[in-house]
Amino acid sequence: MAQAAAVAKPPAPRRRRRASATPRRLPYLLIGPAVLLMLGFIAYPVISVFYYSLQHYNPTKPWRDGFAGLDNFVRIFTEDPVFRDTLVFSAKWVFVEVGLQLLFGLALALIVNQTFVGRGVGRALVFSPWAVSGVLTSAIWVLLYNSQTGITRYLADMGIGSYGTSWLSDTSTVFSAAVVADLWRGVPFFAILILADLQSVSKDLYEAAEVDGASRLKQFWHITLPHLKDAIILSTLLRAVWEFNNVDLLYTLTGGGPAGVTTTLPLYIANTSVDAHDFGYASALTTVAFVILLFCSIVYLRLSKFGGEDK
């Protein structure tokens, strides 16, 4: 009887092993639908772009459709001066916008991090532009820059400038006008991220620095900035990618004009695909833009030593 009972016991652990295997697989089963959706809505379009970049694909000229090989890429680097101009302007736009947004965002974060009456209301006002959509932001600034009812009209009433002046149609002022409009929405992004990191800095460090006789400037340079390093690196990288891909604001404000001086590479891609219907060439431009962003992001993270400790 004892030997029979000993022989009958082994199946029980097998059932326990089978039962314990289900909880281990449960997380993968739960995230499975989300992964499938991501593959459908992200991976498939990305693969399609790479595929069409090797094709001649224009629905308005179906007789020219077919495999292009590297012809689209050769055309980009050897025959398309607009690509070079838009790439240079995109780099200028990203450098100016991200630099100014970081500067003003850091200043705002330092201000609203102080204790003062009405600080909650002040923070809400500072951060509110970030909640406004890009298209709505563009509409607001189009009205502000309107030559008949906008800022220039009131400046002309005060004797500054002349009536009928349009900053968005003048090649000498359009860039500055677009920069100001995007600053209004982009600065709160930096202010939010930097303020969140500022609040984690121990006050004991500042108290110890004051005891040692360190000035406010030295405290900022040796305590605040090192603590904010990773937040600044991450926020500038994210914002640089977003500004590079910025289409809605410039498209609504200027449409890439006047004379194409405010056309970024993504805006050129949008015009090539939507207006010219040259989806094959637009896909090749998108692939080049993707490679440029990927390369610059990797180099930036390596040079900035994101996540590493300063020696």
Side-chain angles (χ1 to χ4, degrees):
M1 293 291 293
Q3 291 179 351
V7 173
K9 286 181 180 179
R14 290 196 199 100
R15 287 195 296 270
R16 284 197 297 269
R17 283 197 296 270
R18 290 172 185 168
S20 63
T22 302
R24 289 198 300 268
R25 297 173 183 171
L26 183 61
Y28 301 100
L29 295 175
L30 293 176
I31 67 173
V35 171
L36 292 176
L37 288 174
M38 291 181 65
L39 290 175
F41 289 101
I42 297 178
Y44 174 73
V46 170
I47 295 173
S48 297
V49 167
F50 291 144
Y51 169 76
Y52 284 115
S53 67
L54 302 175
Q55 305 289 323
H56 290 301
Y57 180 56
N58 189 333
T60 63
K61 300 176 182 178
W63 59 88
R64 295 183 57 187
D65 292 351
F67 182 71
L70 298 178
D71 289 350
N72 288 326
F73 297 98
V74 172
R75 176 184 166 191
I76 289 173
F77 292 106
T78 61
E79 303 175 10
D80 191 353
V82 178
F83 166 75
R84 292 189 292 271
D85 293 340
T86 57
L87 184 60
V88 171
F89 178 76
S90 297
K92 176 184 176 182
W93 173 262
V94 170
F95 180 79
V96 172
E97 276 293 343
V98 174
L100 290 177
Q101 289 177 20
L102 173 61
L103 180 63
F104 289 117
L106 177 60
L108 276 177
L110 292 173
I111 292 172
V112 297
N113 191 45
Q114 304 299 317
T115 301
F116 56 89
V117 178
R119 183 174 68 171
V121 177
R123 287 180 175 179
L125 292 175
V126 168
F127 301 152
S128 58
W130 181 245
V132 181
S133 68
V135 175
L136 183 56
T137 299
S138 304
I140 292 171
W141 284 93
V142 165
L143 293 175
L144 288 174
Y145 288 144
N146 187 282
S147 60
Q148 302 299 321
T149 59
I151 299 173
T152 55
R153 167 67 183 274
Y154 293 101
L155 291 176
D157 291 339
M158 294 185 292
I160 303 174
S162 58
Y163 291 100
T165 302
S166 177
W167 292 343
L168 296 178
S169 60
D170 189 341
T171 55
S172 63
T173 59
V174 64
F175 179 74
S176 300
V179 165
V180 171
D182 200 47
L183 279 177
W184 181 78
R185 183 167 181 257
V187 167
F189 170 77
F190 282 96
I192 293 169
L193 290 184
I194 293 174
L195 177 63
D197 210 31
L198 273 176
Q199 294 180 340
S200 65
V201 182
S202 175
K203 294 182 179 180
D204 295 339
L205 295 175
Y206 294 104
E207 293 175 357
E210 289 181 1
V211 172
D212 292 338
S215 63
R216 288 290 184 91
L217 182 59
K218 289 185 177 179
Q219 292 178 30
F220 172 77
W221 189 259
H222 294 287
I223 298 177
T224 306
L225 274 184
H227 186 86
L228 296 176
K229 174 191 168 186
D230 285 347
I232 290 175
I233 293 172
L234 181 60
S235 59
T236 51
L237 177 61
L238 290 175
R239 195 61 188 163
V241 173
W242 293 339
E243 288 296 344
F244 184 87
N245 292 318
N246 190 340
V247 173
D248 52 358
L249 185 135
L250 287 174
Y251 182 82
T252 308
L253 278 181
T254 67
V261 297
T262 59
T263 302
T264 59
L265 181 56
L267 186 54
Y268 177 46
I269 294 172
N271 291 334
T272 302
S273 59
V274 177
D275 296 337
H277 305 290
D278 195 347
F279 295 102
Y281 190 61
S283 298
L285 288 169
T286 304
T287 303
V288 172
F290 170 78
V291 172
I292 292 173
L293 279 179
L294 180 62
F295 175 77
C296 292
S297 299
I298 294 174
V299 171
Y300 179 70
L301 291 175
R302 292 292 299 271
L303 293 178
S304 61
K305 299 179 181 178
F306 176 72
E309 296 182 358
D310 295 329
K311 295 183 180 180

